[in-house]
Amino acid sequence: MGKLLLTLTFMMLSMGAHANSIYKCIKGDKIVFSQSSCPKEFRQHEIQYQLGITTETDTDKKRQSVDPLQALLTKNTISKEKLLLLIGSEIYRLKQENSYYEILRASEKQKLDRKRYWQKQAKDDPEFITKIDEMNAHFDNLIQINLEAIDVLKQHQAKIQAESTEDEKPSPASEAKQ
């Protein structure tokens, strides 16, 4: 067992570090990560990283899973209530991410301030001001991207809510029959 784990470790280290999927090999209480398929005696989960999204799938089980993003895009596979809930949670996540960016910005500003202090630079030093401006532009850009995504999601949310209220209203033809 030790030789197998050692072999898997060396195989993992010898391969490139830029793979977008790795394998989680499970046998009993032992877990090993590998960039190649697991030996037959191990259970295998594939971990994929693509476009900032990490998904783990049990590759031992052959089943057709529905991609949540595709389900959101088609809107046919989930109810409007569930879609509104998912959009609301994504808006919340983006707001949290913006808060995180503000924390990172403050941390980076502190780091630059410490560096300036130890290099005995003045607060109005052009190099220091340039670095602060670059940092602020970077975080402002990230926050702006999220704000634009939030706006788009809110528009979709309002559209879906309007559609669902129209669906709940009785049509004039059905009112005339009553």
Side-chain angles (χ1 to χ4, degrees):
M1 180 56 121
K3 289 181 182 181
L4 180 62
L5 291 175
L6 188 61
T7 304
L8 284 174
T9 305
F10 281 112
M11 286 174 37
M12 195 166 76
L13 291 174
S14 66
M15 294 185 177
H18 298 291
N20 64 350
S21 66
I22 60 172
Y23 297 95
K24 180 178 173 183
C25 306
I26 304 166
K27 183 177 183 182
D29 60 345
K30 306 252 190 240
I31 298 175
V32 178
F33 293 92
S34 174
Q35 289 181 332
S36 61
S37 294
C38 300
K40 296 289 182 202
E41 62 268 9
F42 283 81
R43 287 189 3 244
Q44 176 174 296
H45 289 220
E46 184 176 10
I47 301 171
Q48 292 180 326
Y49 179 79
Q50 184 176 13
L51 301 174
I53 300 171
T54 304
T55 55
E56 180 176 340
T57 54
D58 186 354
T59 52
D60 290 338
K61 297 178 184 173
K62 300 294 180 197
R63 60 184 163 125
Q64 186 71 351
S65 63
V66 176
D67 181 22
L69 183 58
Q70 190 63 35
L72 280 174
L73 293 174
T74 60
K75 291 193 243 180
N76 296 333
T77 56
I78 56 176
S79 68
K80 288 184 180 181
E81 295 80 21
K82 178 74 173 170
L83 185 60
L84 287 172
L85 182 68
L86 290 171
I87 290 173
S89 62
E90 182 63 13
I91 290 171
Y92 178 78
R93 187 195 68 76
L94 289 170
K95 287 179 180 178
Q96 290 294 102
E97 192 171 284
N98 281 349
S99 297
Y100 178 68
Y101 287 149
E102 290 298 337
I103 292 168
L104 285 176
R105 180 196 312 252
S107 174
E108 287 296 313
K109 169 99 172 55
Q110 258 185 344
K111 191 168 111 180
L112 289 173
D113 280 336
R114 281 191 214 106
K115 184 177 178 182
R116 178 198 54 80
Y117 175 81
W118 288 109
Q119 291 179 351
K120 299 184 185 340
Q121 294 175 332
K123 286 187 178 183
D124 59 351
D125 184 66
E127 182 183 345
F128 174 70
I129 292 173
T130 303
K131 286 182 181 178
I132 292 289
D133 290 343
E134 287 174 0
M135 177 209 56
N136 282 331
H138 174 72
F139 284 110
D140 288 342
N141 184 36
L142 291 173
I143 290 170
Q144 186 59 37
I145 289 169
N146 280 352
L147 289 175
E148 290 168 2
I150 289 171
D151 288 341
V152 169
L153 287 170
K154 284 184 178 179
Q155 289 171 5
H156 286 299
Q157 191 177 35
K159 180 181 169 188
I160 293 167
Q161 286 172 337
E163 288 174 1
S164 62
T165 55
E166 287 175 7
D167 292 344
E168 292 173 2
K169 290 180 184 177
S171 66
S174 66
E175 286 180 3
K177 291 179 183 176
Q178 292 177 356

